Amino acid sequence: MSTTASPPSVADVVAALDRRYPPAWAEEWDRVGLVLGEPTDPVRRVYGTVDVVPETVAEALAVGADLIVAHHPLLLRGVSSVAPTTWKGRIVHDLIRAGVALYVAHTNADIAAPGVSDALAARFGLTGLRPLAPSAPGAPSAGGGRGIGRIGELPAPLTLAELTRHAAAVLPATVWGVRAGGDPGRIVRTLAVSGGSGEGFLAAASAAGVDAFLSSDLRHHPSGEHLAAGGPALLEAAHWATERPWLDDVAAHLRADFGVETVVSDLDTDPWTVHAAAPAMDDKEPRP
């Protein structure tokens, strides 16, 4: 914790976050770092969110945040205008007018150790963690246990059906919930997790020989082909739910470093807001 009486500046907090999640670790297409804000402005309260959307910005302004730390970029693709007639432009105007800075750590936080998937793994009490897809040799993030996803051992074996119910209980709640593919009675001892979109790592999960893989954004055909080929069982949660746990780690880090107040958003920004099970499935056991 800082021993100085004055609060840290935006530049101070950005420097600390950049040390923990170096921008050089981000994918080439990604847009991370300080998006807007005066570097010399003081930071007394930090607000953490997965998504920068009107609802979370309104919450950040309501709690008096000086800095928003977000996971997903607000401006990922090139823009020629931030006119307030668009919702993203309105956000930019509102934040500048309120003097609130915005910082993004995205794929550089995914690959960090500890990072997004470490926080997700902690929700399941996984031990013996190692990367699902380690950073390539020679990459800026190589070494140090860094890479996409984590593999670990569950505290005790669970059937796939039990693990699915457990996942729904330990992850942030969403209308989506958690669904799984595979034999409900399959025993799961080793679990791979990857926060966010994990479909690109189905082959890595199979190669690792884990019993199950939990992620989000898994499509019908790749998932079906993966299971038909004898791959690990699959669990799919909402994208937001798999990344929200990381915000607690960021908040704890900033409190320890600077003594700033932190507010972590629990606003569910998953786009799917209604769920209804088919009536015939209400009392039906999952099919093997």
Side-chain angles (χ1 to χ4, degrees):
M1 182 182 296
S2 173
T3 58
T4 61
S6 58
S9 67
V10 169
D12 293 330
V13 178
V14 166
L17 290 169
D18 280 352
R19 286 192 295 271
R20 192 170 180 86
Y21 312 111
W25 293 356
E27 294 289 339
E28 189 173 316
W29 51 263
D30 205 1
R31 298 295 179 265
V32 301
L34 184 65
V35 179
L36 54 89
E38 291 288 347
T40 56
D41 281 355
V43 176
R44 296 179 178 85
R45 183 172 294 126
V46 177
Y47 172 88
T49 183
V50 173
D51 295 296
V52 184
V53 293
E55 294 82 1
T56 56
V57 169
E59 186 177 64
L61 297 180
V63 302
D66 302 302
L67 169 66
I68 296 173
V69 175
H71 185 49
H72 292 147
L74 173 65
L75 304 173
L76 180 59
R77 295 173 179 85
V79 297
S80 59
S81 170
V82 288
T85 50
T86 65
W87 70 268
K88 289 190 177 185
R90 171 50 57 193
I91 283 174
V92 171
H93 281 256
D94 288 348
L95 292 180
I96 291 175
R97 182 176 294 114
V100 179
L102 171 61
Y103 177 91
V104 171
H106 189 210
T107 53
N108 48 330
D110 289 334
I111 216 162
V116 171
S117 289
D118 294 279
L120 179 57
R123 292 289 178 113
F124 293 89
L126 299 185
T127 57
L129 295 183
R130 64 187 190 278
L132 171 62
S135 295
S141 60
R146 291 181 286 273
I148 293 293
R150 295 294 181 266
I151 296 170
E153 299 281 335
L154 288 166
L158 296 171
T159 66
L160 177 60
E162 291 169 337
L163 179 59
T164 305
R165 291 191 291 270
H166 181 61
V170 301
L171 291 177
T174 61
V175 171
W176 176 288
V178 178
R179 60 184 182 179
D183 179 356
R186 178 174 182 165
I187 300 300
V188 179
R189 296 180 175 84
T190 56
L191 176 65
V193 299
S194 183
S197 301
E199 183 178 286
F201 303 98
L202 292 174
S206 294
V210 298
D211 299 314
F213 175 43
L214 180 145
S215 192
S216 60
D217 302 345
L218 305 179
R219 293 176 299 160
H220 175 89
H221 290 295
S223 299
E225 292 169 6
H226 164 90
L227 293 170
L234 298 177
L235 296 94
E236 184 182 24
H239 192 120
W240 173 83
T242 65
E243 295 175 331
R244 161 59 183 83
W246 169 73
L247 297 173
D248 293 325
D249 287 358
V250 177
H253 172 60
L254 294 178
R255 286 195 302 270
D257 263 16
F258 298 108
V260 295
E261 294 182 43
T262 59
V263 177
V264 173
S265 177
D266 280 313
L267 283 176
D268 176 5
T269 55
D270 182 58
W272 307 109
T273 57
V274 179
H275 170 80
M281 296 297 293
D282 285 345
D283 300 312
K284 186 177 180 180
E285 287 296 313
R287 63 181 175 85

